[in-house]
Amino acid sequence: MTYEIQFCLGLTHHSWARAADPVAAVDATLRAIRVADAAGLDSVWLSEDPDGWDAVAVLAAAARETERIRLGTGVTNPYLRHPNLIAMSVATVDWLSGGRAFLGLGRGQAEWYSRALGVRTGRPPEVLAETIDLLRQWWRPPGRASSTGHFHVRDWARAIGPVQSHVPIYLAALGPRALRVAAERADGLLVADFASVPYLRRLIPTVRSWVAEAGRDPDSFRFYVRTGIVVTDDPEPVLERRKNQMALVNALPGMTRQIEVPGFDVPAIMARVREVMRTNEVLEAGGAFIDIRQVADFAAARRLIPTELVAAVSLVGPAAEIRARLRELAEIGVNGVFIAPPGERDAAEYAALIRDITP
């Protein structure tokens, strides 16, 4: 069975962090979302880290400037936002957008919260399961929830619920326990960047079988993959930049699982990258991405990461090549992929680009 591929836009706070002109940075972000909306993209996902922007505030602004695109976090977590805050934030975006909100949820990096921000983290997979259960209680009548787990919610009622009768929740997960939580409770899975085809060939049927075991419909369960598609006839500079992203994010604990490429000892490569990035040192002190960036040797990390490895797990290249690779992803069950922001393209040009790579 081949699944129809939908295109998504993923945005981070990084453009704001580098911006000399805040007004221009905000305008560029909202313009990108408007163009994606007009070009027919399925959804926009805004990342949320404890050292960055408030993703929900940006989504709320975008809700009033768009008409059809779905709006969600990509992702937030129950340590940065208590489940009650998540419930009210997503419901508010749903009202502002006329029923287009969704939630991208993950565990975050526990060290940031427990060591630097004084947040009790418990067992993350259990906390994620409890969070989803609480949200489902608050988002259906009568909007009242209780929990005896990590949060100890005592019969708390909410006056405002979402417009949608069912708000989609997509879980970002890599470990087996978190994947089980996704299969049993969520509407889909968000797979991290640099996921290889061999990994996805194993992951998707496994998770679908767990969805069925939970008595749910596996065909309605969605798989979104952060692909960062870039259409170009000169892929080398893009791949070199993507090495920075791999070094920063995939050096974190557990983040190499989805990088399975024959001929490369990825765990060994990333262990050396972790050393020059000083990832473990920063995490031990409770530091965040901003702290890693200040001490990391990105040039050394790029030298350690083979360009061929990055190319194997990146959708970067000519349109025909990307179209063929997307066809393969659709055949193994991927429902949604992420494409680079439009940049200077208008909606018609962005739409034409997407048509050119659609299988």
Side-chain angles (χ1 to χ4, degrees):
M1 180 176 182
T2 299
Y3 293 83
E4 180 184 356
I5 288 280
Q6 294 178 316
F7 291 88
C8 313
L9 176 66
L11 297 175
T12 74
H13 68 271
H14 299 149
S15 62
W16 289 20
R18 297 188 298 264
D21 182 349
V23 173
V26 171
D27 287 346
T29 296
L30 293 178
R31 179 190 179 276
I33 299 173
R34 289 196 303 270
V35 170
D37 178 51
L41 271 69
D42 168 73
S43 49
V44 57
W45 307 59
L46 269 61
S47 68
E48 189 166 70
D49 295 317
D51 60 344
W53 62 13
D54 182 329
V56 174
V58 182
L59 292 169
R64 305 306 293 169
E65 298 196 14
T66 53
E67 296 181 357
R68 50 158 305 282
I69 196 167
R70 298 192 303 134
L71 306 165
T73 52
V75 297
T76 191
N77 67 74
Y79 306 125
L80 185 61
R81 293 179 179 271
H82 186 281
N84 185 55
L85 178 59
I86 295 176
M88 70 170 68
S89 298
V90 174
T92 300
V93 173
D94 210 41
W95 278 63
L96 290 169
S97 64
R100 292 182 281 128
F102 65 89
L103 172 66
L105 185 69
R107 55 167 285 171
Q109 197 63 38
E111 293 89 345
W112 297 342
Y113 300 98
S114 62
R115 297 175 187 172
L117 296 173
V119 177
R120 185 173 62 93
T121 54
R123 295 184 175 89
E126 295 176 11
V127 173
L128 289 172
E130 181 184 0
T131 298
I132 295 174
D133 290 346
L134 284 167
L135 294 174
R136 294 301 187 207
Q137 292 178 68
W138 276 318
W139 287 344
R140 64 171 180 256
R144 186 178 292 273
S146 296
S147 174
T148 57
H150 182 81
F151 294 105
H152 298 287
V153 175
R154 298 186 181 93
D155 194 33
W156 187 257
R158 294 208 41 77
I160 301 295
V163 174
Q164 298 174 82
S165 59
H166 181 87
V167 175
I169 298 175
Y170 307 114
L171 196 63
L174 279 172
R177 289 183 297 170
L179 288 170
R180 281 280 188 179
V181 172
E184 293 168 359
R185 288 172 165 82
D187 297 285
L189 184 68
L190 176 61
V191 182
D193 200 357
F194 303 110
S196 65
V197 168
Y199 171 78
L200 292 170
R201 284 191 185 279
R202 287 192 302 102
L203 173 77
I204 292 175
T206 298
V207 173
R208 286 195 190 281
S209 70
W210 291 346
V211 173
E213 286 177 16
R216 309 173 68 213
D217 179 11
D219 288 332
S220 66
F221 191 90
R222 313 288 290 174
F223 290 88
Y224 291 91
V225 182
R226 287 191 180 279
T227 47
I229 296 167
V230 177
V231 180
T232 176
D233 292 326
D234 184 20
E236 292 290 334
V238 180
L239 295 174
E240 195 70 13
R241 289 195 299 272
R242 280 179 61 74
K243 291 181 182 181
N244 289 338
Q245 178 73 3
M246 183 180 283
L248 183 66
V249 176
N250 295 91
L252 295 174
M255 290 299 292
T256 60
R257 300 185 194 195
Q258 80 274 25
I259 309 176
E260 296 179 11
V261 180
F264 293 96
D265 188 345
V266 175
I269 292 170
M270 295 311 297
R272 294 194 295 272
V273 169
R274 194 173 297 115
E275 291 177 3
V276 301
M277 294 293 289
R278 298 171 65 178
T279 304
N280 291 344
E281 175 185 334
V282 174
L283 291 180
E284 283 294 325
F289 282 133
I290 190 172
D291 302 298
I292 296 176
R293 290 178 185 276
Q294 290 173 353
V295 300
D297 187 342
F298 279 98
R302 289 195 299 272
R303 289 193 295 271
L304 289 168
I305 300 173
T307 301
E308 296 81 7
L309 172 62
V310 181
V313 289
S314 299
L315 270 70
V316 176
E321 177 184 326
I322 291 176
R323 187 165 57 247
R325 295 180 67 179
L326 287 179
R327 184 178 299 112
E328 183 178 28
L329 292 180
E331 289 171 352
I332 64 177
V334 172
N335 304 106
V337 292
F338 284 56
I339 188 168
E344 298 302 316
R345 296 183 182 90
D346 61 23
E349 293 168 330
Y350 203 33
L353 175 70
I354 290 170
R355 285 195 301 272
D356 201 25
I357 62 174
T358 299

